[in-house]
Amino acid sequence: MSIRPIKRLIKSKPTIEGAGVHLRRAFGFGNTSDFDPFLLLDDFRNDVPEDYLAGFPWHPHRGIETITYVLAGTVEHGDSMGNQGAIAAGDIQWMTAGRGIIHQEMPKGDPDGRMHGFQLWANLPASLKMTAPRYQEVKAVEIPEIKDDDGTRVRVVCGTFWGKKGPVEGIAADPVYIDVSVPPGRRKTLPVETTRHAFAYVFAGAGKFCNASGPLAVPTEPVGWLDTAPPKEAEDRSLVLFDRGDEVVAQAGDDGIRFLLVSGKPLEEPVAWYGPIVMNTQEQLRAAFDELQRGTFLKPEKRR
């Protein structure tokens, strides 16, 4: 067994999206080849309603899948396929945009004003860019949770982990998406298939992800750090990008640690990306925006 070295350890950065939603971006836009097949991860945890209530009004997507995981509050959604509803704490919304969809996501806080969750974008391979759009909504009770003997808890959102299979199926990136909680002071080894790209995003507590050479968070490549020195441990809002190997080792701090652990098989295809649309060539990208202007972006269902 080989521990995955840490390639990068960074803090998510504040940004504003939608109609003025304040969130933090762990990665996205620019060169995302290290995260392939994933394109973007946004942390929209916020306790100030005026910073998120404007939401994400009607907007298009093509060529990707969006995965929304809510921890607190609710997100009301609607789309051009006629889907309507709301996802609440512990729920998942998995939308395959395929050849085109227009949707909106409107967040509402819980009684304490909290609106917490994450949105991950997964790329679609060229062969499925223009597939029919699809929508999956998964309630919290449908997501299996495993409790290990040492108190570690894992919620399996997608993929198979420790013998449990997540409820979201038919996803092109074949991801494993788990929510991991490790108790204070515990050291936990988690398997990750060698051929996958993998990252962790910490959202509670703190700890260290052990390197092959020891329990130090030392990147394996040079990084232009924003701070004067690299962070000593992975704390809240920290993203850990792993290099190759077949397991990840987390050492929880005094308050424990909770993080998303996500892995997927890289597509290794060219990416042409602007805003909510991700294609393989600039020509395809221009065609998509031209269709938006002409009103032909949404494609009718094909007759069988």
Side-chain angles (χ1 to χ4, degrees):
M1 304 293 281
S2 60
I3 297 175
R4 282 181 174 249
I6 294 165
K7 198 169 187 179
R8 229 174 286 161
L9 172 60
I10 57 175
K11 294 283 283 187
S12 55
K13 299 173 179 63
T15 188
I16 297 176
E17 282 293 350
V21 178
H22 293 246
L23 50 80
R24 294 181 72 103
R25 179 154 295 150
F27 68 89
F29 297 98
N31 183 1
T32 57
S33 59
D34 282 343
F35 297 92
D36 181 17
F38 306 106
L39 297 161
L40 173 149
L41 177 65
D42 280 346
D43 175 352
F44 57 81
R45 288 177 293 155
N46 199 313
D47 297 335
V48 183
E50 53 264 36
D51 284 349
Y52 62 75
L53 283 176
F56 305 89
W58 295 99
H59 59 280
H61 282 293
R62 177 178 285 179
I64 63 170
E65 301 184 276
T66 65
I67 306 100
T68 307
Y69 181 24
V70 176
L71 300 176
T74 59
V75 178
E76 296 181 353
H77 60 270
D79 65 42
S80 51
M81 294 187 294
N83 295 305
Q84 285 188 324
I87 52 173
D91 297 348
I92 294 283
Q93 172 192 301
W94 202 298
M95 186 187 75
T96 304
R99 60 179 174 248
I101 196 169
I102 295 176
H103 78 148
Q104 68 170 355
E105 301 158 295
M106 304 305 289
K108 295 190 181 302
D110 66 8
D112 296 322
R114 299 178 306 164
M115 179 67 248
H116 292 186
F118 310 97
Q119 187 168 91
L120 175 69
W121 290 14
N123 203 1
L124 282 169
S127 59
L128 293 175
K129 287 287 189 192
M130 298 299 283
T131 192
R134 188 167 69 116
Y135 179 87
Q136 298 180 69
E137 185 175 293
V138 178
K139 297 302 183 184
V141 294
E142 301 172 60
I143 299 174
E145 184 174 288
I146 310 159
K147 184 175 180 181
D148 208 8
D149 293 341
D150 65 357
T152 297
R153 293 178 180 270
V154 176
R155 296 188 83 216
V156 185
V157 172
C158 186
T160 300
F161 190 83
W162 283 350
K164 294 284 187 180
K165 187 174 177 57
V168 179
E169 295 184 324
I171 306 304
D174 189 25
V176 175
Y177 185 139
I178 58 176
D179 173 352
V180 182
S181 300
V182 182
R186 294 286 187 177
R187 179 183 172 105
K188 200 66 188 173
T189 300
L190 305 165
V192 181
E193 190 179 314
T194 307
T195 57
R196 295 168 171 268
H197 283 164
F199 66 86
Y201 185 73
V202 179
F203 62 97
K208 291 184 178 179
F209 288 87
C210 305
N211 246 322
S213 57
L216 297 174
V218 180
T220 57
E221 63 176 29
V223 175
W225 297 96
L226 292 177
D227 302 319
T228 54
K232 299 291 187 224
E233 64 176 7
E235 57 188 12
D236 186 23
R237 305 188 190 278
S238 292
L239 176 82
V240 184
L241 174 66
F242 298 104
D243 218 325
R244 295 302 172 119
D246 56 16
E247 60 186 23
V248 164
V249 179
Q251 174 70 53
D254 293 341
D255 297 320
I257 188 170
R258 187 176 178 190
F259 56 93
L260 305 177
L261 180 60
V262 182
S263 66
K265 297 177 180 176
L267 300 177
E268 297 179 339
E269 294 180 351
V271 173
W273 183 0
Y274 188 80
I277 295 173
V278 184
M279 302 303 289
N280 295 106
T281 68
Q282 290 296 320
E283 185 180 357
Q284 292 168 340
L285 200 56
R286 282 192 293 269
F289 281 96
D290 186 47
E291 289 173 11
L292 272 172
Q293 286 190 320
R294 295 201 317 260
T296 59
F297 181 77
L298 297 176
K299 307 299 181 188
E301 289 294 322
K302 295 177 181 177
R303 295 181 182 274
R304 294 188 178 184

